[in-house]
Amino acid sequence: MDKKKFITILTAGFALFAMFFGAGNLVIPPYIGLKIGALSGVAFAGFFVSDILLSFLAVVMVASVGLTFTDLGKRFPPLFVNALVFLIIVTLGPLICVPRTGSTTYEVAVQPFFPQIGKITFGVLYFGITLLLSISKAKIVDIIGKILTPFLILSLTILIVVGTINAPKELVDNGYSFGEAFAFGFSKGYLTLDVLAGVIFSGLIISSIVQEGYRSEADKKQVTILSGVIAAGCLVFIYGGLLYLGATSNLSSSEGISYIDILKHIAYNVLGDNGGIVISVAVAFACLTSAIAIVSAMGEIFENISKGRIPYKWGVWICTLVSFALSIRSVDEIIHYAGYLLDFSYPITIALTLFVLFFGKRVQSNAPYIVGVTLTAILSGLFIIGDLLHIAWINNFKALLPLADYRIEWFIPAFLSFIITAIIVKRV
């Protein structure tokens, strides 16, 4: 491998890591570790599949269809692709990820040091800055990202290494079975939103790879895959380390403790007061950078989907205002309602990613993809209604499906519908 390709792969890999690793994701792995205890390794395996592995596959899927996720429109009806892109960016942006950045920043970096500042006051300032920098597309975002991503990685590496060295030798058995531990980790992987981020933002990485001169299909895929391996390796280290620190934190795993409390306890316990300040500053700026990137992406996507009828600035304003309103909720409250939204959008995104990767070259007809994704959406929506309204027959039907214990009960029906439709189309 020549030096230029190596540098391109390394640069794209770290950029991809920065794209996936939002500061809000800091709170998920320690929570998993605390809850599962002795079987944290099994829980991490589930988390790895639903977060790191599927995010990597999402990037590879986008690379296989073109430069961006919207290139699926070459094979699917544009309305179908635009609806899916709209669902993903709204879920990723104003409904979950962006308000979570504001709430996380307040609870980690502001409230402990400046309790006299209210959440609404802080929200006005935080989202005002987000709006200003998103509309202007200021270069300061690039500067912040280049400075703070290495700072964040270094801070977390110190936290993980010091915490691991001083961790107790034995983990507490919290009574989970192997299946329950895996399912818990798998379901919590949804909350990082990394798969949704993968299909939306991987286009930036792939475009930069093409601009470096790797335009052939073979070169583009090779560089993308190797970059993804680097990003995945970084995520495994950071997420795995944080999960282990949660499992060895000596906190009670009772329902009353919040995601933020676990993270703050680990930071102060391992690095002391100064360490807490360092982590807080890193989290605050990483959150702001993530928020600006997502708000800007939503403005551009709305403008593209509407063919200019919704100007970029309108999309930015909508995302910022909705995010501000929802950020007044606590991180735990956002994560709670996010679970229902992600139980709908994640299966759809995962199903389409796997269909394209496994069958993209063999099945050219649109029908199997549309049928498979539509059935996934129907089942996901039905099961959410059953859970929210406690409808017995829906919940009983869900429990009868294979893999229900692992929260992927839609998987086999979706793939069977795809294969059956493909066979029917081929014979007609």
Side-chain angles (χ1 to χ4, degrees):
M1 182 184 298
D2 60 64
K3 183 177 179 181
K4 179 188 175 185
K5 180 176 284 189
F6 175 77
I7 293 174
T8 300
I9 290 170
L10 198 63
T11 302
F14 282 117
L16 196 56
F17 164 78
M19 176 187 70
F20 283 136
F21 193 80
N25 297 356
L26 283 166
V27 302
I28 308 297
Y31 182 84
I32 297 173
L34 177 65
K35 287 293 181 180
I36 303 301
L39 291 180
S40 291
V42 178
F44 183 70
F47 183 80
F48 172 84
V49 172
S50 66
D51 178 66
I52 300 171
L53 178 60
L54 287 173
S55 300
F56 170 72
L57 293 178
V59 175
V60 176
M61 182 272 289
V62 173
S64 71
V65 299
L67 296 178
T68 67
F69 185 64
T70 54
D71 285 332
L72 279 169
K74 299 172 184 176
R75 297 188 51 186
F76 302 104
L79 182 62
F80 175 85
V81 177
N82 288 341
L84 187 55
V85 170
F86 178 83
L87 171 66
I88 292 173
I89 192 60
V90 169
T91 302
L92 182 67
L95 294 185
I96 301 177
C97 198
V98 179
R100 191 172 68 181
T101 66
S103 191
T104 299
T105 302
Y106 178 77
E107 293 182 31
V108 173
V110 177
Q111 190 177 37
F113 306 104
F114 307 101
Q116 69 274 19
I117 299 179
K119 202 167 191 179
I120 294 179
T121 302
F122 168 77
V124 170
L125 176 63
Y126 178 87
F127 287 101
I129 295 172
T130 301
L131 177 66
L132 179 64
L133 296 181
S134 298
I135 287 180
S136 65
K137 299 182 181 181
K139 293 294 183 182
I140 191 172
V141 177
D142 293 331
I143 297 171
I144 290 173
K146 289 176 181 177
I147 294 173
L148 287 173
T149 297
F151 179 72
L152 181 61
I153 293 174
L154 178 61
S155 301
L156 293 175
T157 299
I158 294 172
L159 178 69
I160 290 168
V161 171
V162 174
T164 301
I165 292 173
N166 298 322
K169 301 298 181 183
E170 295 184 3
L171 302 181
V172 177
D173 185 355
N174 290 335
Y176 285 85
S177 68
F178 275 81
E180 290 170 340
F182 183 90
F184 188 87
F186 186 93
S187 64
K188 292 301 178 183
Y190 285 12
L191 297 175
T192 64
L193 286 83
D194 283 346
V195 174
L196 304 186
V199 298
I200 293 296
F201 296 112
S202 57
L204 298 175
I205 302 298
I206 297 168
S207 294
S208 69
I209 290 171
V210 172
Q211 288 172 7
E212 289 294 324
Y214 303 100
R215 295 182 174 84
S216 71
E217 196 67 21
D219 279 345
K220 184 181 72 172
K221 282 190 177 181
Q222 181 193 36
V223 175
T224 300
I225 290 172
L226 291 177
S227 300
V229 170
I230 290 174
C234 293
L235 290 172
V236 166
F237 172 72
I238 298 295
Y239 283 153
L242 290 172
L243 189 143
Y244 181 73
L245 293 184
T248 57
S249 63
N250 293 323
L251 287 170
S252 169
S253 60
S254 64
E255 292 295 330
I257 191 165
S258 71
Y259 289 83
I260 290 296
D261 287 340
I262 300 170
L263 178 63
K264 289 194 293 188
H265 172 84
I266 291 172
Y268 285 97
N269 188 51
V270 173
L271 298 178
D273 291 340
N274 292 333
I277 293 173
V278 170
I279 293 296
S280 296
V281 172
V283 167
F285 281 94
C287 277
L288 181 61
T289 305
S290 297
I292 294 168
I294 296 171
V295 170
S296 300
M298 182 166 170
E300 291 176 357
I301 287 173
F302 270 34
E303 188 173 50
N304 291 337
I305 289 177
S306 68
K307 296 181 179 180
R309 287 189 291 272
I310 301 178
Y312 171 82
K313 291 185 177 181
W314 288 19
V316 168
W317 270 99
I318 292 169
C319 187
T320 304
L321 292 175
V322 174
S323 298
F324 166 65
L326 292 176
S327 73
I328 297 172
R329 294 172 174 267
S330 69
V331 172
D332 281 25
E333 288 175 323
I334 293 172
I335 289 175
H336 176 71
Y337 78 69
Y340 293 107
L341 295 173
L342 296 175
D343 280 345
F344 180 72
S345 58
Y346 245 69
I348 295 171
T349 308
I350 292 171
L352 183 57
T353 296
L354 296 179
F355 290 157
V356 172
L357 285 178
F358 289 142
F359 306 112
K361 291 185 178 179
R362 299 175 192 151
V363 180
Q364 299 300 317
S365 172
N366 294 346
Y369 298 91
I370 296 174
V371 170
V373 171
T374 300
L375 179 61
T376 303
I378 291 172
L379 289 176
S380 299
L382 182 66
F383 296 147
I384 291 171
I385 292 172
D387 189 26
L388 283 172
L389 303 181
H390 306 289
I391 301 175
W393 72 266
I394 295 179
N395 294 332
N396 292 335
F397 170 60
K398 176 182 176 180
L400 290 174
L401 292 174
L403 304 177
D405 291 342
Y406 298 96
R407 303 283 299 273
I408 49 175
E409 58 282 329
W410 52 268
F411 184 83
I412 291 180
F415 267 78
L416 285 177
S417 68
F418 182 97
I419 293 170
I420 291 170
T421 305
I423 292 173
I424 293 173
V425 169
K426 189 173 182 180
R427 292 184 176 180
V428 172

